[in-house]
Amino acid sequence: MTIYVGNLSYDIREEELKVLFSEFGNVESAVIIKDKETHRSRGFGFVDMSDAEGESAIAALNGKEVSGRTLVVNASKSDGKNRSGHFRPKKRY
């Protein structure tokens, strides 16, 4: 499952995000989305985990304060964007 993590501190790094979620199971990947021009964090990211572990992480971390910010954590919704924040072109058949 892919988990959306919002309201992240701009100082948090991907490794720290991975450690935060690893308390609930194996983290396949942790990505913080960055501005393509400045390469600074945009304040949100995504974590990939198994469904059961992901549900536990969402329940425990949504609303938790980390680095002075209250996290928003939920199952990611597909919005047509890839992880770099750019829109994917729609396939035409």
Side-chain angles (χ1 to χ4, degrees), residues 6 15 19 24 28 36 51 57 63 66 74-75 78 80 86:
E15 187 59 36
V19 168
F24 304 96
E28 296 169 21
K36 70 178 186 173
D51 288 350
V66 175
N74 53 48
S78 175
H86 299 99

Side-chain angles (χ1 to χ4, degrees), residues 22-92:
S22 66
E23 179 181 337
F24 304 96
N26 182 45
V27 175
E28 296 169 21
S29 68
V31 178
I32 294 177
I33 304 304
K34 297 179 177 130
D35 182 275
K36 70 178 186 173
E37 293 179 14
T38 65
H39 304 287
R40 290 190 298 185
S41 169
R42 294 186 61 202
F44 69 96
F46 297 93
V47 174
D48 287 317
M49 303 179 76
S50 74
D51 288 350
E53 294 169 340
E55 291 295 335
S56 295
I58 290 169
L61 295 174
N62 187 41
K64 180 177 180 175
E65 187 173 315
V66 175
S67 298
R69 312 254 336 226
T70 303
L71 296 183
V72 175
V73 182
N74 53 48
S76 178
K77 299 176 180 92
S78 175
D79 64 352
K81 290 185 179 180
N82 65 21
R83 293 242 172 122
S84 67
H86 299 99
F87 282 100
R88 291 185 203 148
K90 293 190 178 191
K91 291 183 180 177
R92 299 203 170 139

